[in-house]
Amino acid sequence: MRSDLMSRAQAGDGEAFRALTEPHRRELQVHCYRMLGSFQDAEDALQDTMLAAWRGLDRFHGRASLRSWLYRIATNRCLDTLRAARRRPAKPWDIPGTEPPAPTGLGEIHWLEPYPDALLDGAITVPLGPEARYEQTESISLAFVAALQILPPRQLAVLILRDVLGFHADEVADMLDTTVESVKSALKRARAGLQRPLPEIAAREQPPAADSAAEDAIVAKFVSAYEAADIDALVALLTDDVFMSMPPMPLEYRGRDNVARFFAFIFGSVDRFELVPTRANGQPAFGVYRPTPTGTHGVGLFTITLAGDQISTMTRFEETILPIFGLPQFLPTTQQTPSP
């Protein structure tokens, strides 16, 4: 049956091509997201991959699996993207007439975007190769994806193909048109580079299970504190070393006192917020809305990372992210925010 589909697809049958490639589409999008750290860039790379596969299908001779062949195309499309735009300009603070508290640092990775959990179904449950070292849920976390972006493009590709997806070294060498020795060398350097930002994360207390009663309890406290602009209640939920970032702005705040100062600044100018719960990268997330005289406007999307019964990381993204999560830019004035 599959060989018949391939023959038809190579003869120009678009429906046969879609039947062959659709089972791999979602995992390829997640692969592109891990490499690029951007949902929109991943979607563009996926479209380029499918177009290149369609145009080049007559050159597929079955020496490798169709899945491996598609990963070869997707990986090289992502490498082209990374080489063309490896460093994007950071966005300055853009609220006229206000200045935020001095940050504790300026982030190097400021083009990071979240990935909706709703699109992960079927994408991180695919069987992995024997070389995989990371759990699929771990390898889609914001912390892991952000750490990946620090690596040089070729090392980034090798680490994902080998340690996340579990392809053999000879398969990766074929995908990247290089030697096994070069793959092994790049992997060694990539592992060393990735471990620098990750030990602190690994040492934290494990979060409660997704959608568990324990997670729900923390989320409910967070929503209550944030919607009420209650700085004391919010700070009580944070770990001592809590870390907050807000890509594409490079501002970073580390430590409970510094994050508290930032939220005191935010809450000082807003009476209340409304949060609409969703999930991103396997963790709780919220569309953030601010009532104004012209309506309730979306002002961003927050993700929180839990450590035990506390919040260890907070990441704020711009309101342009909201549609990716199926969230509106404006809330009807009569809408009641659903309970998380």
Side-chain angles (χ1 to χ4, degrees):
M1 177 63 178
R2 195 168 185 83
S3 60
D4 178 59
L5 279 175
M6 180 60 70
S7 297
R8 286 163 47 200
Q10 289 177 324
D13 186 331
E15 289 301 320
F17 175 77
R18 279 187 285 276
L20 285 169
T21 58
E22 191 63 29
H24 307 295
R25 188 179 186 90
R26 190 67 75 198
E27 63 170 302
L28 288 169
Q29 185 185 42
V30 172
H31 174 60
C32 294
Y33 171 70
R34 287 190 181 106
M35 288 199 64
L36 301 174
S38 160
F39 180 89
Q40 189 56 60
D41 286 351
E43 182 61 24
D44 292 344
L46 176 64
Q47 298 304 324
D48 289 345
T49 296
M50 291 304 176
L51 181 59
W54 170 246
R55 290 175 173 173
L57 197 60
D58 60 328
R59 296 191 294 275
F60 176 73
H61 302 300
R63 287 189 293 270
S65 68
L66 177 66
R67 179 174 179 264
S68 295
W69 185 68
L70 291 171
Y71 266 101
R72 174 192 176 103
I73 297 172
T75 300
N76 283 285
R77 287 296 180 277
C78 290
L79 287 173
D80 290 343
T81 299
L82 288 171
R83 290 167 183 143
R86 182 61 176 170
R87 291 289 179 264
R88 299 177 184 176
K91 180 179 178 179
W93 181 260
D94 59 357
I95 302 178
T98 66
E99 287 294 329
T104 54
L106 297 177
E108 179 183 1
I109 306 302
H110 44 253
W111 61 90
L112 187 69
E113 291 179 349
Y115 194 96
D117 275 22
L119 300 183
L120 290 175
D121 289 346
I124 60 172
T125 56
V126 294
L128 300 178
E131 307 296 328
R133 291 163 54 111
Y134 292 98
E135 294 289 340
Q136 290 291 278
T137 51
E138 175 187 6
S139 66
I140 198 63
S141 70
L142 275 172
F144 188 87
V145 173
L148 288 173
Q149 305 312 306
I150 297 172
L151 300 176
R154 181 59 68 98
Q155 291 181 28
L156 167 62
V158 169
L159 187 134
I160 293 174
L161 292 169
R162 292 278 283 132
D163 284 358
V164 174
L165 296 167
F167 285 108
H168 288 291
D170 56 346
E171 293 178 289
V172 176
D174 181 66
M175 291 177 187
L176 300 178
D177 291 321
T178 189
T179 64
V180 170
E181 290 72 21
S182 177
V183 166
K184 290 179 178 178
S185 177
L187 181 61
K188 182 178 180 180
R189 295 195 301 274
R191 286 172 175 169
L194 187 66
Q195 285 307 308
R196 283 195 292 272
L198 289 180
E200 176 185 342
I201 298 167
R204 289 176 179 156
E205 191 175 349
Q206 288 298 303
D211 298 318
S212 65
E215 184 187 76
D216 290 347
I218 305 167
V219 166
K221 291 178 182 178
F222 174 79
V223 170
S224 176
Y226 205 106
E227 290 190 332
D230 186 338
I231 184 67
D232 292 333
L234 180 62
V235 170
L237 297 172
L238 308 180
T239 61
D240 289 340
D241 62 347
V242 63
F243 174 73
M244 191 183 78
S245 60
M246 50 189 75
M249 288 184 284
L251 306 180
E252 294 181 346
Y253 296 87
R254 185 178 295 277
R256 182 183 287 157
D257 290 344
N258 292 309
V259 172
R261 276 193 288 273
F262 178 82
F263 278 107
F265 162 73
I266 294 296
F267 292 162
S269 60
V270 180
D271 291 334
R272 64 186 180 88
F273 292 93
E274 292 185 43
L275 300 189
V276 177
T278 183
R279 295 192 70 87
N281 299 77
Q283 56 202 72
F286 311 87
V288 182
Y289 295 83
R290 176 181 179 179
T292 73
T294 59
T296 303
H297 295 240
V299 294
L301 184 133
F302 249 113
T303 67
I304 60 174
T305 302
L306 305 180
D309 59 356
Q310 292 182 293
I311 297 170
S312 61
T313 305
M314 307 176 72
T315 311
R316 183 264 182 191
F317 299 95
E318 296 195 309
E319 68 274 10
T320 53
I321 294 294
L322 294 173
I324 295 174
F325 288 80
L327 297 174
Q329 296 285 4
F330 303 91
L331 291 181
T333 55
T334 58
Q335 175 168 329
Q336 296 296 315
T337 303
S339 298

